[in-house]
Structures are given as structure tokens and as C-alpha cells.
Amino acid sequence: MKKLLNSLYVLDETAWLTLDGENVVCKCEDKEKFRLPFSNIEDIYCFSYLGCSPALMGKCADLGININFISPQGHFLARVQGKTRGNIFLRKAQFECFSNPDILLAQNTVASKLSNTRYLIKRSMRDNPQLDSDGELSKCIDYLEQGIERVYDMKDNEVIMGLEGNCAKAYFGIFDRLILNQKDDFVVCGRTKRPPLDPVNAVLSFLYTIMTSSYTSALESVGLDSCYGFYHALRSGRSSLACDLVEEVRCIAERLILTMINLKKININDFEKQESGAVYLNKDGKKKVLTAWQEKKRSTIVHPYLNEKIQLGILPFVQSSLLAKYIRGEIKEYPCYLLK
């Protein structure tokens, strides 16, 4: 099991990371801002265009510390990682398994995503029954439940994606109702991605990027190829398998965002709007979201399949390990993560 340590997030766009012995050193305009020993770092997320020294990248590769380069706006750029772990036979089995994947993999992935989405809405209704005064939330839940049943009648990935898209549209159509405070500042009119056009979508895209990077690292750590998935189409530079696994846990990010807005831990001043209409988190906003995300990762959950308590931060490694077991034939079905 991977030990959960700390992720280093470098938000200053003028930052340059370098190596000094057994320490990561951060410099801004040739002045040292801080240094951290490698023993305190799990992975690095660099939101700076300046990047880091080749010596540091080599050291991190040797230690198994992945460096993720992300633009200041939150777009994934590149990743530096060490040698491939695991044996070639696992990857060979992965390629054989996913060259003609069992449709049940895609069906379970979408069904678990819809089920977890339904759970989020029901929990919001339980805490605030007035949210469903006109019955719109109940209608959305019914629609999601129909989607869960219908997906098992579908035998083609594209058809399943169409169903998933329709359910997502219904979900984000009522997402605005789950926001209790700061409603004038946080208005959602649907999901917008490239670029995000409102503050809520800006945070969603930001956290989804972080989650996908975490799953990419986890998959590589157990010896799987994160680019070769079973649901999302193969695309150069995309971690399709990481995208597959993130689908079932998107609701965790969505719940965190709703909590931050409703508790006023984030506000409209934490965003910046560009002339193109794109909306992004500013530096202070990123700090707030990442701080909340780190706290969330340290929370304890009971894994529904293992029936054991784990920290949320190692969930990507648990799911990646379970997927590897499925590919090796040690378990008959990959158990998606389900909220209960």
C-alpha cells in the first residue's frame, strides 16, 4: 500500500524548482522561498511555466515522485515520471484485455457514476428538504435511476456515452439548486469545459485535472499503462484509463465544491475572468481549493469492497490495484467505487 504523504503544489508563476542534496528548493526571482526534504513529498504539481531543473527531474524520477506540469489556468501540460513499474506481463494482459474489453466494464463505470451522483443529490435533499419543493430534484434522481437500469441493455460504448451525456446534462441542470449561499455569484447553466465559463465550472475543471493526475500516478505505480483504457477513446497525450477510473469518483470533487461555496470558504473574489469569457481560479482561489482538497484526502472512508477503513487520498491506488487484480484474473469483476 502506498504511504500517503504530502503533495507539493507550486502556484507562483515565477517559481523555479531545483535540487540541493536531498531537498527540493523553490526560488522566485533568484531568491529562495523554501526547501523541503524528499521524504515529505508524495508528488509535485507545478503551475509555473518556468518549471524545474533537469537534475531535480532526474532525482524525482529515481525516487518515484511524479512531477505534473499544469498551466496557471489549470490545464494539464505534461508529466515527468520514472521507470515503468510492474512487469511486462501485466501490461501485456492489459493490452489483450482492453483490445476487446468486456462491455460490463463500461456499463459498471457509468452505472457507478450515476449512482454516486444520485447519492450526492439525495444527501443534499436530506440535509435541506426544501431544495426539492417543486420536485425537480426527485425527477432528476428518477432519471438517473432509469439511466442505471438502461445502461445494462446497451452493448456499444458510443451509445453508453450518449446515455451518460444525457444524464450529466440533467444533473448539471439542477446543480444550481444545490448551492445555498452566494447564489448570485455562483450560477451554473450547465457544464462548460474548454474553457470554463463560470466560477463553478472553473473549480470543477481544476479539481478534475488534479484527480486525473492522481489516478495516472496510481495506475503507473501498480504497473498499468494509464494511456490504454477501456471506455474513453485512445488519444495521444491523454491518460484514457485514468479518465475511465475518475468517472466513478467525480462526485467527491463536486461535493467538496458545494461545501466550500455553501460555507463561504470560497467567494467570487477568488476568480478572474478573461476577455474571452473564460473564468479561472486566481492564485488565492487555488490555494483555498488545494488546501480543502488536501484536508479531504486525509479524511477516512470505509471502502465498500474491501470493507476496510482507508484514507481518501489512497483511493486511486486501491482502485488501481483492484483493476490490476481483475486484469490478472484474480477477481472476476472490477469493483467500482460506490458511495453508500
Side-chain angles (χ1 to χ4, degrees):
M1 188 63 68
K2 184 178 177 69
K3 183 180 180 182
L4 181 64
L5 297 172
N6 293 308
S7 297
L8 172 61
Y9 300 96
V10 181
L11 301 180
D12 194 319
E13 296 179 30
T14 67
W16 167 255
L17 300 181
T18 187
L19 173 68
D20 184 10
E22 296 299 315
N23 298 284
V24 176
V25 178
C26 179
K27 295 183 178 180
C28 295
E29 299 178 352
D30 293 328
K31 294 182 180 179
E32 183 175 320
K33 295 205 70 173
F34 65 82
R35 60 175 54 216
L36 288 172
F38 288 109
S39 59
N40 290 337
I41 300 174
E42 179 186 29
D43 46 21
I44 299 174
Y45 294 86
C46 188
F47 292 82
S48 165
Y49 283 126
L50 294 182
C52 58
S53 70
L56 176 63
M57 288 190 281
K59 182 71 171 181
C60 288
D62 288 340
L63 295 176
I65 298 173
N66 294 330
I67 306 176
N68 300 279
F69 293 100
I70 300 173
S71 75
Q73 290 75 35
H75 300 302
F76 175 79
L77 299 174
R79 178 181 297 102
V80 175
Q81 61 189 42
K83 296 179 181 179
T84 299
R85 302 183 185 181
N87 60 63
I88 185 60
F89 297 106
L90 175 59
R91 294 204 173 201
K92 180 175 181 290
Q94 176 189 358
F95 298 150
E96 292 172 349
C97 180
F98 291 168
S99 63
N100 185 26
D102 186 343
I103 195 65
L104 187 62
L105 278 169
Q107 292 171 332
N108 284 345
T109 293
V110 173
S112 63
K113 176 182 180 178
L114 300 183
S115 177
N116 290 339
T117 300
R118 175 187 59 183
Y119 176 87
L120 185 153
I121 300 173
K122 284 188 172 182
R123 181 172 174 177
S124 297
M125 289 171 55
R126 182 190 65 196
D127 296 338
N128 300 277
Q130 75 280 3
L131 294 177
D132 194 38
S133 58
D134 59 357
E136 289 300 313
L137 296 189
S138 293
K139 289 181 182 178
C140 183
I141 290 173
D142 291 341
Y143 191 79
L144 295 175
E145 290 176 344
Q146 292 172 20
I148 294 172
E149 294 178 1
R150 290 172 54 206
V151 73
Y152 289 102
D153 295 326
M154 300 175 176
K155 305 302 179 184
D156 182 84
N157 267 10
E158 291 189 5
V159 178
I160 293 175
M161 283 186 171
L163 170 69
E164 179 194 356
N166 290 334
C167 289
K169 184 177 180 181
Y171 170 54
F172 283 108
I174 59 93
F175 197 81
D176 197 62
R177 294 168 176 259
L178 306 181
I179 297 174
L180 306 177
N181 293 312
Q182 309 183 84
K183 294 184 72 69
D184 291 337
D185 294 328
F186 292 91
V187 179
V188 187
C189 297
R191 180 77 177 108
T192 56
K193 305 176 183 178
R194 302 178 184 88
L197 299 178
D198 61 69
V200 175
N201 275 290
V203 189
L204 285 171
S205 293
F206 183 77
L207 271 184
Y208 289 163
T209 297
I210 299 296
M211 293 178 76
T212 303
S213 293
S214 295
Y215 269 85
T216 298
S217 298
L219 288 163
E220 296 287 344
S221 75
V222 301
L224 293 172
D225 190 326
S226 65
C227 293
Y228 197 71
F230 57 83
Y231 182 50
H232 287 83
L234 301 184
R235 182 184 300 168
S236 179
R238 180 168 76 176
S239 298
S240 295
L241 185 54
C243 293
D244 292 344
L245 298 193
V246 164
E247 291 295 337
E248 62 196 54
V249 295
R250 286 178 182 267
C251 60
I252 296 175
E254 293 154 7
R255 180 69 185 178
L256 177 62
I257 292 166
L258 286 171
T259 299
M260 292 190 71
I261 294 173
N262 290 335
L263 295 182
K264 300 182 179 180
K265 291 185 176 181
I266 194 170
N267 58 64
I268 196 62
N269 296 323
D270 295 315
F271 299 85
E272 57 184 32
K273 187 172 183 178
Q274 300 186 345
E275 291 184 5
S276 63
V279 178
Y280 298 107
L281 283 161
N282 58 29
K283 186 176 179 180
D284 288 338
K286 291 174 187 173
K287 286 182 178 178
K288 291 180 180 179
V289 173
L290 291 173
T291 297
W293 180 241
Q294 285 297 99
E295 292 175 356
K296 184 72 174 177
K297 284 168 61 178
R298 294 187 180 95
S299 62
T300 301
I301 62 173
V302 177
H303 194 280
Y305 179 77
L306 301 178
N307 198 29
E308 295 180 10
K309 290 183 178 180
I310 64 170
Q311 285 184 308
L312 182 63
I314 65 170
L315 181 60
F317 299 93
V318 172
Q319 294 304 117
S320 297
S321 296
L322 290 172
L323 182 62
K325 285 180 177 292
Y326 165 76
I327 291 172
R328 288 193 293 261
E330 297 175 14
I331 53 178
K332 292 184 179 180
E333 187 175 315
Y334 164 67
C336 296
Y337 178 72
L338 285 172
L339 289 170
K340 294 182 179 179

